[in-house]
Amino acid sequence: MPTENSVERPYADANSKAQSADAVAADRGFDDSPESGALFIRLVELEAGPERDAVRDELVSLWLPMAHRIAGRFRDRGEATEDLRQVAALGLIKAIDRFDPVRGAFESYAIPTITGEVKRHFRDRMWAVRVPRRVQELRNRVQVARRELRQQPGPAEPTIAEIAAHARLTEDEVSAGMEAMEGFSALSLDVEVGAGDDGYSLGDTLGGTDSSFDTIVDRQAAAKELRQLPERERTILYMRFFEDMTQGHIAEKLGISQMHVSRLISGSCARVRRGALAQ
C-alpha cells in the first residue's frame, strides 16, 4: 500500500514533469491515452519501495497530459489554471493508486475520478462565504434551471416561481439557492461606494461595537440589587452618585459621621457588585 509520503511526492513532482511529459506525448503521437497496461500490472505486483515509486512516477508522467486536459475544461471559473492542474494531478494520483488493471481501461476509471476531484475543489474551496452543503446543492439546481429556462421562448430572466416549478423546488429554496450564488465572490471593504468627492469605502459603512450595550446590561443587573438595599443606603448612594454630593455633605445632611457614610457606601457597593456578578 502506498504511504502518505509516497502520495505527496508524485503530487509535488507532477507539475515539474508536465512539460517533459507533454513533449514525450508529442513525440510518441498519442492523444493523452498512452499504452501503460504493463506498467499498471507491474505496479500492482510490486511492494512499497523505491522500485514501485519509480513505476508510479512514470505512470503519472504518462497520464499527466490527460489530467491537464480535464483541468482545462474548468478554466474561466475564477480559479488559476495552474491551481486547477495541481488539483487534477492529485486526482490522477488517486486514480493510479486505486486502479485495478483487470477491470478495464485506465482512462475509463481515471476521467471520472479526476473530474470529481476538480469539482470537489470548486465545491469545497472556492466559496468566499461558506454555506451548508444542502444550500450548495440548491444553488446548482437553481443555476441549471435558470440556464434551461433562458433557452426557452419568453422573458430573458425567469421568475422565482418559474424556476421553482422547473426545478421542482419551493420558492424559499430557490431564493436560498440564488443567495448562495453570491458566495463564490466577495467585495473588498476598500471598494469605493459613491462617486466624486463624496465617495467612501464599503468599510466606512460598517458599524462598530457600541459600549452602551454593556452599560445597559450592567445597569439592569445592578438595579435588582439596589432595590434590595435598605432605604437609607439607597438614599446615600443616590446622593453620592446621582447628585454628586461629597461624603461630608451627606454626613452633615443625615446627621451621621463621614466615616460612617464611607463604610455604608463601600458596603452597599460591594453588595450590589456581588449580586450583579452572581446573575
Side-chain angles (χ1 to χ4, degrees):
M1 293 295 294
T3 64
E4 181 178 355
N5 290 335
S6 67
V7 171
E8 292 177 352
R9 184 168 57 81
Y11 177 49
D13 296 342
N15 288 315
S16 65
K17 297 177 181 179
Q19 186 174 1
S20 60
D22 291 340
V24 171
D27 292 340
R28 292 177 57 178
F30 53 69
D31 59 352
D32 77 11
S33 297
E35 292 293 337
S36 55
L39 286 174
F40 275 111
I41 294 175
R42 187 179 175 198
L43 183 71
V44 172
E45 294 173 347
L46 290 171
E47 297 291 336
E51 186 177 359
R52 187 182 190 282
D53 290 341
V55 173
R56 191 164 173 262
D57 288 350
E58 185 175 356
L59 286 168
V60 170
S61 296
L62 287 173
W63 287 96
L64 197 58
M66 181 189 70
H68 287 176
R69 175 173 60 80
I70 295 173
R73 299 175 183 173
F74 296 88
R75 63 181 181 274
D76 301 328
R77 295 194 184 185
E79 182 71 308
T81 300
E82 188 63 24
D83 291 340
L84 290 176
R85 286 188 167 193
Q86 290 183 3
V87 175
L90 179 58
L92 172 63
I93 293 169
K94 290 181 177 180
I96 291 174
D97 288 338
R98 300 170 183 172
F99 177 62
D100 184 352
V102 302
R103 294 193 174 185
F106 174 67
E107 55 264 39
S108 299
Y109 177 78
I111 290 174
T113 301
I114 297 170
T115 302
E117 191 71 26
V118 177
K119 288 183 176 180
R120 263 192 304 276
H121 174 76
F122 279 98
R123 184 189 66 197
D124 297 336
R125 303 292 182 87
M126 290 297 294
W127 294 84
V129 178
R130 293 290 299 157
V131 298
R133 180 69 56 81
R134 182 186 65 84
V135 179
Q136 293 182 30
E137 294 173 353
L138 286 177
R139 170 198 172 274
N140 295 335
R141 292 178 64 180
V142 169
Q143 190 174 40
V144 171
R146 288 179 67 188
R147 182 168 59 248
E148 292 175 350
L149 288 172
R150 285 172 177 173
Q151 296 173 354
Q152 298 177 3
E157 185 61 38
T159 65
I160 291 180
E162 291 172 339
I163 296 174
H166 188 79
R168 297 182 180 179
L169 299 170
T170 66
E171 293 189 12
D172 288 342
E173 289 173 332
V174 172
S175 297
M178 294 179 71
E179 290 178 1
M181 291 181 183
E182 306 297 328
F184 272 119
S185 61
L187 287 176
S188 169
L189 292 179
D190 295 327
V191 68
E192 288 291 328
V193 179
D197 296 336
D198 296 331
Y200 51 91
S201 71
L202 182 61
D204 294 333
T205 66
L206 300 179
T209 302
D210 192 341
S211 60
S212 298
F213 289 122
D214 293 333
T215 303
I216 293 173
V217 174
D218 292 340
R219 285 182 176 178
Q220 290 298 317
K224 179 180 178 181
E225 301 303 321
L226 285 170
R227 287 193 293 268
Q228 296 179 5
L229 291 175
E231 183 177 355
R232 185 175 68 163
E233 294 182 20
R234 291 202 307 268
T235 301
I236 291 174
L237 291 179
Y238 181 82
M239 288 189 293
R240 179 69 185 91
F241 295 107
F242 289 88
E243 294 186 348
D244 203 23
M245 295 173 61
T246 64
Q247 292 183 13
H249 191 187
I250 295 172
E252 182 180 350
K253 189 169 183 177
L254 297 180
I256 57 178
S257 68
Q258 181 176 340
M259 182 65 68
H260 190 38
V261 170
S262 177
R263 286 197 297 268
L264 288 174
I265 291 175
S266 297
S268 299
C269 289
R271 179 177 173 181
V272 171
R273 183 180 299 108
R274 286 194 301 270
L277 293 176
Q279 298 180 40

